[in-house]
């Protein structure tokens, strides 16, 4: 390469660097404008709104007046049993839902990865299907399948002699978990299956040579080698479960132990739309946002530690 | 396999010390466990498959029944075949409002995902291929955005929108779902792994404008990533029930899922709505099932990258 073209090249590159700033701005503007308008601005506005309470004036005729109340809404939220109960409900739900869902996903993924499995492509597609169904429609379908008379599943259940009582806490927990397990297990199967494809063949061959049978290889070696993927999926499932809304909303007409403030999102929704207490809704929404943000930050930190 | 699927955290795990072999030939072991274990594995997979497909099967059977059979006959056996009548009723109900909901869904999820993908890949390209002051700080800002799920900003968004009079408006549901910090993060990763910097430099030497280089050189190379992100965003908008529920009260603007929810709320008072709900639910998910089946090689390859944010 001659010196002339080198200088020409570096001039072009230098010029393109300088132009880069302008272009970067044009390329980034659509994202940042939308992000500021629809994520940052609402949060800032809610922060402002959360410092006020609505006071109905005197006779209740003149509408409501907005009164500055400082951090009173936050203090109220942190002592509000109904708001805090939502977090407890989710915690109890997670204790059941997550081990079952993740455990089932892992077992099915290992089965799918085993040499004996046939029709893998079909199975993967079939397992993924529920993930396509919106949570709300899945809940509609399952509510029918929980209805005595319509559903053969209830008949089968009752033939065992047990009563079908959707009103109990246990029934609410189980019927809700079944919907979310149905929705999300397949996705995690595909995810774990993808992780299993990356387990080095030599390791598996070594195990076989050493006399480990297929079941032992699956649980002692394959499952351990994808533990990183399993932990990350578990933690993301927790973050997702915290935001539960559509499924319990639909189920509460049937499972009566689910009330209208059963999850934090349901509580916030009710505060804003049934009680029109916008200041309080804003405060609880922000507390919830900070909680979820901190949780996902911890998850990401933990996830990258597992990955490296 | 795409470069992004190779990450799953296997690298750092130390290889386990091999258990001591009980002297036995592995070959024999395999034949002994032979067909019976093969059968067992496939039966278990079949049972799980039954679980995933059972509710959808019920939905198909139920949508062929009239209202009295829906409640009066067993869920998985066919009764009088009424699918055509049900479909006619569904599409003509309240002057064809369901067709409108389907069109709205296509707009919110389909066009919304296209717009979101365009915005994300523009930004991802800029973060990967351009030098500009404060680049990593801006990217850090995007990463913070990833931590805040859209569900928790929905209520703040409603409060702001209601103050500005933007509630009950198509754009109030369409626009907020376009900027996706996770999409930008993923687009930057795709750009880094699919588009070599030298190609863009060469295009610059040839005098191509930055936008042209992005559109004609970078974008085609990132096609698998673009489709993957499209499917993920489509799914996210399609599954987002909270935002339209909060923002919309005009039924003309409803996406299909919200419309079906509103019908479901009326079934207690008027059982006739039950059939609309069932047939509507089936018709709503069929186009999406077709979309995902036809693009399955993309999500099957991309799913590993999607979950490991």
């Amino acid at each position: 390469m001659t010196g002339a073209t080198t200088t020409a090249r570096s001039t072009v590159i230098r010029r393109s660097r300088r132009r880069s700033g302008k272009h970067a701005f044009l390329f980034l503007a659509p994202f940042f404008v939308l992000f500021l308008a629809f994520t940052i601005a609402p949060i800032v506005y809610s922060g402002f709104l959360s410092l006020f309470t609505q006071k109905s004036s005197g006779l209740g005729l003149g509408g409501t007046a907005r009164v500055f109340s400082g951090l009173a809404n936050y203090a109220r939220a942190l002592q509000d049993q109904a708001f805090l109960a939502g977090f407890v409900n989710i915690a109890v739900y997670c204790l059941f839902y997550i081990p079952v869902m993740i455990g089932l996903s892992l077992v099915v993924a290992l089965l799918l990865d085993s040499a004996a499995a046939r029709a893998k492509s079909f199975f993967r597609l079939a397992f993924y299907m529920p993930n396509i169904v919106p949570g709300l429609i899945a809940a509609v379908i399952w509510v029918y399948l929980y209805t005595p008379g319509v559903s053969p599943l209830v008949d089968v259940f009752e033939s065992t002699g047990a009563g079908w009582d959707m009103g109990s806490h246990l029934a609410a927990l189980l019927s809700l978990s079944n919907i979310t397990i149905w929705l999300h297990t397949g996705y995690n199967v595909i995810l774990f299956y993808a992780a299993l494809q990356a387990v080095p063949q030599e390791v598996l061959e070594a195990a076989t040579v050493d006399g480990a049978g297929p079941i032992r290889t699956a649980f002692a070696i394959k499952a351990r080698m994808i533990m990183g993927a399993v932990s990350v999926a578990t933690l993301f499932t927790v973050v997702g479960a915290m935001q539960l809304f559509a499924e319990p909303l639909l189920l509460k007409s049937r499972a009566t132990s689910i009330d209208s403030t059963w999850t934090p999102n349901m509580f916030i929704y009710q505060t804003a739309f049934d009680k029109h207490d916008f200041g309080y809704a804003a405060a609880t929404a922000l507390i919830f946002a900070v909680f979820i943000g901190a949780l996902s930050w911890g998850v990401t930190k933990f996830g990258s530690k597992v990955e490296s | 396999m795409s470069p992004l699927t190779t990450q799953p955290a296997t690298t750092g795990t130390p290889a386990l010390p091999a258990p001591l072999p009980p002297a036995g030939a592995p070959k024999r072991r395999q034949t002994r466990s032979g067909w019976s274990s093969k059968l067992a594995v496939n039966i278990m997979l079949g049972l799980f498959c039954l679980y995933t497909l059972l509710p959808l099967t019920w939905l198909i059977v139920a949508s062929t029944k009239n209202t009295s059979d829906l409640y009066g006959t067993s869920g998985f056996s066919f009764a009088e075949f009424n699918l055509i009548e049900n479909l006619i009723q569904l599409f003509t109900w309240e002057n064809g409002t369901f067709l409108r909901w389907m069109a709205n869904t296509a707009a919110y999820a389909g066009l919304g995902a296209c717009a979101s993908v365009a915005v994300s890949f523009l930004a991802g390209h800029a973060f990967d291929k351009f030098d500009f002051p404060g680049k990593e700080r801006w990217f850090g800002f995007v990463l913070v955005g990833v931590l805040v799920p859209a569900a928790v900003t929905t209520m703040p968004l409603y409060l702001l929108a209601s103050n500005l009079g933007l509630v009950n408006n198509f754009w109030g549901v369409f626009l907020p779902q376009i900027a996706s910090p996770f999409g930008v993060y993923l687009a930057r990763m795709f750009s880094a792994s699919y588009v070599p910097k030298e190609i863009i430099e060469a295009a610059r030497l040839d005098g191509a404008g930055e936008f042209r280089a992005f559109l004609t050189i970078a974008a085609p190379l990132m096609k698998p990533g673009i489709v993957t992100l499209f499917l993920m965003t489509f799914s996210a908008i399609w599954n987002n029930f909270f935002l339209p529920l909060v923002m919309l009260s005009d039924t003309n603007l409803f996406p299909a899922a919200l419309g079906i929810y509103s019908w479901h709320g009326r079934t207690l008072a008027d059982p006739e709505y039950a059939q609309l709900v069932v047939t509507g639910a089936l018709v709503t998910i069929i186009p999406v099932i077709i979309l995902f089946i036809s693009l399955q090689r993309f999500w099957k390859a991309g799913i590993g990258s999607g979950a490991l944010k």
Side-chain angles (χ1 to χ4, degrees):
Chain A
M1 199 186 277
T2 66
T5 50
T6 317
T7 14
R9 195 191 158 98
S10 61
T11 327
V12 170
I13 290 175
R14 219 178 309 124
R15 200 184 304 144
S16 81
R17 283 256 162 77
R18 224 177 310 124
R19 279 191 336 212
S20 244
K22 192 183 81 192
H23 284 110
F25 176 78
L26 290 175
F27 275 62
L28 292 170
F31 171 76
F32 278 104
V33 167
L34 290 166
F35 186 62
L36 284 175
F38 296 108
T39 303
I40 304 298
I43 290 178
V44 171
Y45 178 69
S46 292
F48 167 76
L49 209 58
S50 71
L51 303 176
F52 295 86
T53 37
Q54 314 273 350
K55 285 256 162 72
S56 51
S57 59
L59 301 164
L61 293 173
T64 55
R66 203 191 270 168
V67 182
F68 181 80
S69 59
L71 297 176
N73 278 326
Y74 292 93
R76 181 180 157 202
L78 294 175
Q79 291 165 1
D80 189 334
Q81 291 306 319
F83 181 54
L84 300 177
F87 290 83
V88 175
N89 287 334
I90 296 279
V92 171
Y93 157 78
C94 282
L95 282 179
F96 176 76
Y97 159 65
I98 290 180
V100 174
M101 195 275 280
I102 296 288
L104 186 62
S105 304
L106 185 59
V107 169
V108 175
L110 287 169
L111 286 170
L112 195 60
D113 186 57
S114 77
R118 292 283 165 269
K120 292 186 185 193
S121 189
F122 165 77
F123 277 133
R124 278 203 286 165
L125 188 61
F127 296 168
Y128 191 76
M129 281 294 121
N131 192 54
I132 295 169
V133 180
L136 181 92
I137 289 182
V140 168
I141 296 174
W142 278 105
V143 163
Y144 277 100
L145 290 174
Y146 294 154
T147 308
V150 173
S151 168
L153 300 184
V154 177
D155 298 340
V156 169
F157 183 84
E158 282 183 333
S159 71
T160 63
W164 186 260
D165 172 23
M166 283 288 285
S168 73
H169 283 281
L170 186 65
L173 184 70
L174 294 181
S175 54
L176 176 64
S177 303
N178 176 55
I179 297 174
T180 49
I181 288 168
W182 182 76
L183 275 169
H184 302 300
T185 305
Y187 178 89
N188 286 293
V189 169
I190 311 289
L191 180 70
F192 296 163
Y193 180 78
L196 284 168
Q197 303 314 298
V199 173
Q201 200 58 41
E202 308 86 70
V203 177
L204 300 179
E205 275 162 15
T208 315
V209 169
D210 290 341
I215 295 178
R216 183 156 177 190
T217 313
F219 285 98
I221 296 166
K222 286 184 186 175
R224 279 204 209 171
M225 292 202 77
I226 65 161
M227 260 318 136
V230 174
S231 333
V232 174
T234 305
L235 295 164
F236 278 110
T237 305
V238 176
V239 174
M242 286 302 307
Q243 299 165 57
L244 208 57
F245 180 75
E247 295 88 349
L249 181 75
L250 209 99
L251 205 55
K252 79 180 163 66
S253 64
R254 205 59 63 105
T256 41
S257 74
I258 296 177
D259 58 27
S260 50
T261 60
W262 202 77
T263 72
N265 257 342
M266 290 168 81
F267 180 91
I268 295 163
Y269 178 77
Q270 214 222 11
T271 307
F273 289 93
D274 289 353
K275 303 193 172 146
H276 304 283
D277 193 347
F278 289 153
Y280 192 44
T284 47
L286 287 178
I287 291 174
F288 188 50
V290 168
F291 182 83
I292 298 269
L295 195 64
S296 15
W297 181 77
V299 167
T300 318
K301 272 276 167 285
F302 181 83
S304 53
K305 200 184 280 174
V306 170
E307 269 181 66
S308 59
Chain B
M1 200 187 278
S2 94
L4 279 134
T5 51
T6 53
Q7 313 165 352
T10 53
T11 35
T13 323
L16 297 164
L20 283 176
K27 273 276 155 54
R28 211 182 337 132
R29 206 177 181 113
Q30 267 170 7
T31 43
R32 212 186 329 137
S33 59
W35 66 269
S36 60
S37 74
K38 237 177 221 172
L39 193 67
V41 164
N42 287 294
I43 284 177
M44 284 188 278
L45 285 171
L47 283 176
F48 184 68
C49 188
L50 208 62
Y51 175 61
T52 57
L53 296 184
L54 206 70
L56 298 173
T57 316
W58 174 82
L59 192 63
I60 293 170
V61 174
S63 65
T64 67
K65 294 177 179 175
N66 60 32
T67 310
S68 65
D69 284 343
L70 182 65
Y71 285 109
T73 59
S74 175
F76 293 96
S77 57
F78 286 97
E80 197 189 327
F81 193 80
N82 267 302
L83 180 61
I84 309 297
E85 289 85 341
N86 290 338
L87 287 173
I88 291 170
Q89 192 190 28
L90 175 69
F91 283 104
T92 54
W93 195 261
E94 288 165 2
N95 300 322
T97 184
F98 182 74
L99 205 59
R100 204 179 155 98
W101 293 344
M102 292 287 282
N104 291 340
T105 305
Y108 292 130
L111 297 180
C114 287
S116 175
V117 165
V119 166
S120 292
F121 273 91
L122 277 173
H125 180 83
F127 276 124
D128 187 55
K129 296 291 181 308
F130 296 160
D131 282 322
F132 54 93
K135 177 160 119 166
E136 292 311 318
R137 207 169 308 139
W138 283 106
F139 194 64
F141 187 52
V142 174
L143 290 182
V144 172
V146 174
L147 298 181
V148 184
V152 301
T153 57
T154 301
M155 190 52 65
L157 190 67
Y158 166 79
L159 297 173
L160 182 62
S162 75
N163 194 39
L164 299 174
L166 292 174
V167 163
N168 223 359
N169 182 312
F170 174 83
W171 302 106
V173 173
F174 183 84
L175 288 175
Q177 310 197 74
I178 289 178
S180 154
F182 182 57
V184 174
Y185 163 79
L186 215 56
R188 183 184 182 170
M189 299 297 125
F190 280 128
S191 173
S193 50
Y194 286 106
V195 188
K197 272 204 159 93
E198 298 76 41
I199 294 193
I200 301 296
E201 301 263 308
R204 282 176 191 151
L205 277 178
D206 292 344
E210 292 293 346
F211 187 70
R212 206 165 137 214
F214 168 73
L215 210 60
T216 60
I217 298 169
L221 288 171
M222 292 189 284
K223 199 183 141 207
I226 290 174
V227 179
T228 302
L229 190 59
F230 171 82
L231 286 174
M232 284 172 53
T233 318
F234 182 92
S235 245
I237 302 176
W238 160 248
N239 272 303
N240 189 348
F241 169 67
F242 200 28
L243 182 69
L245 175 74
V246 164
M247 285 290 189
L248 304 174
S249 53
D250 177 0
T251 55
N252 280 325
L253 296 171
F254 280 12
L258 185 56
I260 288 171
Y261 174 71
S262 73
W263 277 349
H264 183 78
R266 293 192 223 165
T267 50
L268 278 182
D270 182 357
E272 200 173 351
Y273 277 99
Q275 194 48 62
L276 289 168
V277 169
V278 166
T279 315
L282 181 68
V283 173
T284 312
I285 58 181
I286 283 176
V288 187
I289 289 181
I290 292 170
L291 178 76
F292 273 78
I293 290 179
S294 56
L295 295 174
Q296 56 176 305
R297 71 189 174 90
F298 292 101
W299 56 256
K300 277 179 181 168
I303 213 165
S305 62
L308 293 171
K309 315 191 187 186

